[in-house]
Amino acid sequence: GPVPALQPSPSSPPPSPGASEGGERGWSEAQFRRYSFATRPIPRLRHGDPRAEELLENEEPVVLTDTNLVFPALKWDLDYLQENIGNGDFSVYRASTHKFLYYDEKKMANFKNFKPKSSREEMKFSEFVDQLHEIQQQGSGERLYLQQTLNDTVGRKIVVDFLGFNWNWINRQQAKRGWGQLTSNLLLIGMEGNVTPAHYDEQQNFFAQIQGYKRCILFPPDQFECLYPYPVHHPCDRQSQHMNSFKAFSTTEQLLITDRLEGIEVRLLKRYCGPCWARNLLNIKKR
C-alpha cells in the first residue's frame, strides 16, 4: 500500500504564506551536488488535471500542487514537535558522512564483514533536538537523521493534526487504483546536506514536504540494471552500490528524471512515486 512520508527540515523556517509558483526560490543551484548526466523535471500538476490522473494510473511520478494532503502539519517545526510529539522513543541515525545508506539489521548476520556507515539509536525527541543543536553549534562533521513511524505515543495535538490530513483523497486513490492497505506514516527530519543514496521502495509513496527543501532525483524502473543494486539477501538490498557518484555509468544521458520539492512555492507539495522507482534525495537549507 502507499506510504505517506512527512519531511520537516530542522534548519528552515516555515514557507511564506504569500509565496507562489514563480516567486523567489528559497534555494539556489549552488546547493546541489553535480552529476555528469542531464535531467528533466517531473510534471507539476493540479490533482484534477487529466494528465495527473494518467500518471498516477501508470504509476509514474508527479508533483501535485493542491491536494493539501497534510495541511495541519505545516506548523510542525522542532519547537512544536518537541512540545507535542510525546515521550516515545525515536529512531535516529548517526553518521560521520552526509550519506545515509539504508541497511536491514536482520540481514547483517549473513554478511559478517559488512560494516554500516551509520548507526541507529533510540532517543527521546528532546534528546534529538539537543544533540542536533549541539552539532550545529560546534560545526562538527557528525550528522543525524530522524526516521520514525508515527505511533500511539504521540501527544493529543499531533493526533488531531494527523486526523486532519486529507485521508478522503488518499483513500480514494487507494481504492481507485487497487493499491494495498496503508501501512505506515513516516516522519523524516534531516540536516542540510544529508543524502539518501539511490534506492527503491516496494510500495506506492506519497511524499509531503512540510518545511525546507529537498531535491529528489528519480530513476525509472527500466534503468534498474544500470544502478547495480546490492544482492537480494545483502543488508543493503534495494540500494544502489554506486552510492552517490554514478561515475561508472556509460548510459546515463537518459537515466534520470529530477524534481526539487519546494514548500515555499505552493505552501505544500505532495509527490506521488510508484513502486520500484529508484530515488536519490538531498536535503537543502533555505538561503
Side-chain angles (χ1 to χ4, degrees):
V3 182
L6 315 177
Q7 175 71 40
S9 168
S11 56
S12 304
S16 168
S20 62
E21 293 193 39
E24 182 181 356
R25 300 184 305 190
W27 47 266
S28 72
E29 296 283 347
Q31 293 174 281
F32 297 158
R33 299 184 180 277
R34 303 300 179 184
Y35 301 105
S36 60
F37 41 77
T39 59
R40 58 186 175 90
I42 295 172
R44 299 167 56 92
L45 303 168
R46 298 177 65 87
H47 75 282
D49 192 308
R51 293 172 295 171
E53 288 290 315
E54 182 179 357
L55 289 168
L56 286 168
E57 187 65 30
N58 293 335
E59 296 194 326
E60 296 182 37
V62 59
V63 174
L64 301 177
T65 61
D66 62 343
T67 62
N68 288 328
L69 183 63
V70 294
F71 183 80
L74 294 184
K75 59 182 176 290
W76 288 10
D77 57 17
L78 287 182
D79 292 337
Y80 183 87
L81 290 173
Q82 185 167 357
E83 182 177 349
N84 297 291
I85 199 69
N87 199 40
D89 290 327
F90 290 79
S91 293
V92 176
Y93 290 85
R94 185 186 303 273
S96 58
T97 174
H98 62 275
K99 299 173 184 175
F100 284 81
L101 182 68
Y102 171 81
Y103 58 93
D104 188 339
E105 296 176 24
K106 297 177 182 177
K107 295 182 178 181
M108 290 176 61
N110 301 326
F111 291 79
K112 302 296 185 182
N113 295 326
F114 173 72
K115 296 181 179 180
K117 302 296 184 181
S118 62
S119 60
R120 180 176 60 84
E121 304 174 25
E122 298 296 315
M123 62 181 71
K124 305 302 181 183
F125 194 86
S126 59
E127 295 177 293
F128 166 70
V129 174
D130 289 343
Q131 292 190 31
L132 186 66
H133 288 158
E134 182 178 350
I135 290 172
Q136 291 174 332
Q137 290 172 0
Q138 294 179 351
S140 71
E142 192 173 41
R143 292 179 175 272
L144 300 178
Y145 206 155
L146 184 148
Q147 303 179 18
Q148 177 64 41
T149 301
L150 295 178
N151 53 43
D152 57 7
T153 67
V154 301
R156 182 184 62 84
K157 288 188 177 180
I158 300 297
V159 173
V160 172
D161 292 341
F162 181 80
L163 293 175
F165 291 177
N166 194 352
W167 295 111
N168 288 335
W169 185 86
I170 200 169
N171 285 328
R172 286 200 303 271
Q173 299 304 313
Q174 175 192 14
K176 182 189 302 185
R177 310 189 193 288
W179 294 340
Q181 294 298 310
L182 291 168
T183 59
S184 62
N185 295 273
L186 189 65
L187 175 67
L188 305 168
I189 304 179
M191 298 174 65
E192 177 195 1
N194 283 3
V195 171
T196 305
H199 66 286
Y200 70 88
D201 291 346
E202 298 169 302
Q203 298 172 293
Q204 290 84 5
N205 277 249
F206 285 101
F207 185 98
Q209 183 79 9
I210 295 176
Q211 295 189 27
Y213 304 91
K214 182 179 287 287
R215 185 192 196 193
C216 178
I217 301 177
L218 295 177
F219 303 76
D222 61 11
Q223 296 290 340
F224 177 82
E225 292 182 353
C226 297
L227 295 173
Y228 300 94
Y230 284 89
V232 172
H233 299 293
H234 191 278
C236 295
D237 177 25
R238 297 188 292 108
Q239 322 298 308
S240 170
Q241 295 186 58
H242 279 277
M243 294 286 284
N244 209 33
S245 64
F246 309 112
K247 291 180 180 178
F249 296 163
S250 60
T251 59
T252 54
E253 286 75 15
Q254 298 179 352
L255 183 62
L256 300 181
I257 298 174
T258 184
D259 181 60
R260 305 173 185 94
L261 298 181
E262 311 152 21
I264 195 172
E265 288 192 338
V266 290
R267 268 307 270 188
L268 174 67
L269 292 184
K270 191 270 296 175
R271 188 197 80 217
Y272 168 76
C273 184
C276 298
W277 278 77
R279 73 290 308 268
N280 180 285
L281 304 170
L282 167 66
N283 287 4
I284 302 171
K285 181 180 180 180
K286 181 178 175 65
R287 290 186 297 176

